[in-house]
Amino acid sequence: ETGVTQTPRHLVMGMTNKKSLKCEQHLGHNAMYWYKQSAKKPLELMFVYNFKEQTENNSVPSRFSPECPNSSHLFLHLHTLQPEDSALYLCASSQVLAGDNEQFFGPGTRLTVL
Amino acid sequence: QQQVKQSPQSLIVQKGGISIINCAYENTAFDYFPWYQQFPGKGPALLIAIRPDVSEKKEGRFTISFNKSAKQFSLHIMDSQPGDSATYFCAAQRGSARQLTFGSGTQLTVLP
């Protein structure tokens, strides 16, 4: 595997289900991100992990719970979601430096909440 | 508050034509402006980027023009090809955490 991988690629869940999204980066980066991508809207940054420590939580509802066990893996635990949470969830990683910060994205998980 | 405004939302161009996508930002703390390209079923990928101390950057058929005083920047795709059909996002970066703020995206279609 190369780059950033995400599983599953597609997920359909009911509002009472609990599921988890997984992201793995094979680039040796020290920062990982979760984004939400909805149609015709900007990518919304949800969470940032820098050296496994959560540094940003952009007012995300508690029904989304991130976990970063090490610098290569990132999870997004989902529970009691709402239909409006249906979107493409993108994971990204980067090597955070003082200068530029190119983020490498995975292909995303297409989530549908029924 | 949307800090990076992008237009147009969609764009149709004939093969060989010039595609132009515009973005405007509000926060003068932004210090790095990348453009990302996203194909269906894929995540966004960095296409080209510019710093505000430069007014123009060119890489092949792709050029960023930057107007610091107007707080605007644009992507020009010369000799557009059907393979350029994708969604393009402008973005702006700031702060020690180097967070990216994205525009809403432009869906480009290049007709053969």
Side-chain angles (χ1 to χ4, degrees), chain A residues 31-89:
Chain A
M32 297 187 77
Y33 312 78
W34 279 117
Y35 287 88
K36 176 183 179 182
Q37 185 175 26
S38 305
K40 296 183 172 60
K41 292 178 66 176
L43 275 74
E44 301 172 51
L45 179 64
M46 300 176 71
F47 302 104
V48 179
Y49 278 83
N50 202 344
F51 291 99
K52 301 186 300 178
E53 299 296 322
Q54 184 176 319
T55 56
E56 296 290 335
N57 175 344
N58 284 356
S59 303
V60 179
S62 59
R63 57 185 183 269
F64 295 91
S65 174
E67 178 190 1
C68 188
N70 55 61
S71 58
S72 298
H73 293 85
L74 185 65
F75 295 88
L76 188 63
H77 304 299
L78 316 172
H79 64 97
T80 60
L81 294 191
Q82 304 298 309
E84 60 263 30
D85 296 324
S86 298
L88 181 68
Y89 288 85

Side-chain angles (χ1 to χ4, degrees), chain A residues 90-106:
Chain A
L90 291 162
C91 173
S93 72
S94 71
Q95 187 68 15
V96 178
L97 304 169
D100 305 338
N101 175 25
E102 179 180 355
Q103 293 186 17
F104 292 78
F105 286 83

Side-chain angles (χ1 to χ4, degrees), chain A residues 9 37 45 56 99-101, chain B residues 38 41 43 51 89 98-99:
Chain A
R9 295 293 309 274
Q37 185 175 26
L45 179 64
E56 296 290 335
D100 305 338
N101 175 25
Chain B
Q38 185 177 25
R51 290 198 164 278
F89 294 92
R98 310 308 293 157
Q99 285 193 52

Side-chain angles (χ1 to χ4, degrees), chain A residues 33 35 93-105, chain B residues 3-4 23-37 45-54 57 59 64-68 71-74 89-103:
Chain A
Y33 312 78
Y35 287 88
S93 72
S94 71
Q95 187 68 15
V96 178
L97 304 169
D100 305 338
N101 175 25
E102 179 180 355
Q103 293 186 17
F104 292 78
F105 286 83
Chain B
Q3 298 188 48
V4 180
C23 284
Y25 62 98
E26 300 165 4
N27 192 336
T28 55
F30 290 132
D31 59 9
Y32 180 66
F33 301 87
W35 285 88
Y36 281 77
Q37 179 188 53
L46 180 66
L47 182 65
I48 187 173
I50 197 169
R51 290 198 164 278
D53 53 350
V54 176
K57 183 174 182 180
E59 290 183 1
I64 300 178
S65 297
F66 190 87
N67 185 329
K68 188 174 181 179
K71 293 189 283 186
Q72 296 175 345
F73 58 110
S74 60
F89 294 92
C90 62
Q93 194 169 72
R94 65 180 175 88
S96 58
R98 310 308 293 157
Q99 285 193 52
L100 282 172
T101 300
F102 284 87

